[in-house]
Amino acid sequence: MLTDAKPCRYSDLRMSGESRALGFFGGSFDPPHLGHLILSRDAFEQLALEKIYLVPALESPMREGSHAASFADRVAMCRGLTEGRDWLDVLDIEGSLPPPSYTVNTARSLARLFPGRELVWIVGADQWEKLPQWREYETLARLLSFAVAARPGHSVSVPARPGPLASILRARNVDISSTEIRSRIARGQSAEHLIPPLVAEYIDSHRLYVHH
């Protein structure tokens, strides 16, 4: 069962005194799955990060329609993904910011929360290609560094300055999607091979995605 420990709340965090960079992986996580876990671990190891935080979006600005699961449910499922992994945690900061969940607003809050730290935002190559379209792109480039994971059909190149600093991850091509998981559950099929046990348990006990 999931523990009663609360997800990491931004108001409770304090500087640890370490100098290594912190990673942040934003997304809908509707639901979180093994692909998210694998990418997080690859970024953690390749960039020697101190810790990675999953950052569920309250309301994704580029998403069409609403999330299938509530913000609270998605935060809880992310807790299931991070359970027992001291290098990975959940940060519910976007639940306290005005929707939609623009990354620049999150970045400003993170900069205040972790003054002087390098903040690394993890994105896929598909998102990286669209980065100049993100709100206040120039501000993002000042506040965040980026870790870019390859995606089939998308080239990854680091733009010349004054673009954002970026590292290209040697990411694995893991073909798992939250959309596929929701569809399988709605059809009555198992998704246990795509999600960690605690996430599967939460989905089952809360009857999520059954009517997707």
Side-chain angles (χ1 to χ4, degrees):
M1 295 292 291
L2 292 178
T3 67
D4 293 331
K6 294 181 179 179
C8 189
R9 295 185 182 276
Y10 74 97
S11 59
D12 297 334
L13 291 175
R14 297 293 183 269
M15 289 289 292
S16 66
E18 298 290 337
S19 60
R20 288 190 295 175
L22 297 170
F24 301 90
F25 188 179
S28 296
F29 300 113
D30 195 13
H33 52 67
L34 293 176
H36 296 131
L37 180 61
I38 291 169
L39 176 54
S40 296
R41 186 68 196 189
D42 283 345
F44 175 75
E45 293 182 352
Q46 292 175 33
L47 300 179
L49 299 172
E50 178 187 339
K51 181 174 284 229
I52 290 180
Y53 294 96
L54 302 181
V55 186
L58 177 64
E59 181 183 308
S60 301
M62 295 185 180
R63 183 186 180 96
E64 294 183 4
S66 60
H67 294 101
S70 71
F71 179 73
D73 282 332
R74 290 182 287 115
V75 169
M77 286 188 286
C78 284
R79 282 174 48 209
L81 191 77
T82 65
E83 183 88 1
R85 299 178 172 93
D86 58 4
W87 57 274
L88 187 64
D89 210 334
V90 185
L91 188 59
D92 64 352
I93 189 171
E94 295 196 352
S96 298
L97 297 175
S101 301
Y102 289 115
T103 304
V104 68
N105 294 335
T106 306
R108 288 191 178 102
S109 295
L110 293 175
R112 291 191 292 268
L113 181 62
F114 301 106
R117 302 294 290 273
E118 181 181 1
L119 310 176
V120 180
W121 197 264
I122 301 167
V123 297
D126 51 342
Q127 294 174 298
W128 176 251
E129 291 174 350
K130 300 175 183 177
L131 197 67
Q133 303 171 24
W134 289 20
R135 173 164 291 205
E136 297 186 48
Y137 167 72
E138 295 81 4
T139 302
L140 278 175
R142 292 195 303 269
L143 294 174
L144 301 174
S145 300
F146 288 83
V148 187
R151 288 284 187 272
H154 298 271
S155 60
V156 181
S157 60
V158 178
R161 294 189 179 185
L165 298 175
S167 300
I168 299 175
L169 298 173
R170 299 185 303 277
R172 308 161 209 271
N173 182 17
V174 181
D175 189 16
I176 303 175
S177 75
S178 296
T179 301
E180 175 192 6
I181 293 168
R182 294 195 303 270
S183 295
R184 289 184 64 87
I185 293 171
R187 294 194 301 266
Q189 295 177 303
S190 173
E192 63 180 9
H193 57 303
L194 305 175
I195 49 181
L198 288 179
V199 177
E201 180 182 295
Y202 188 93
I203 291 172
D204 183 63
S205 64
H206 289 76
R207 301 286 293 167
L208 298 180
Y209 311 125
V210 174
H211 303 294
H212 176 66

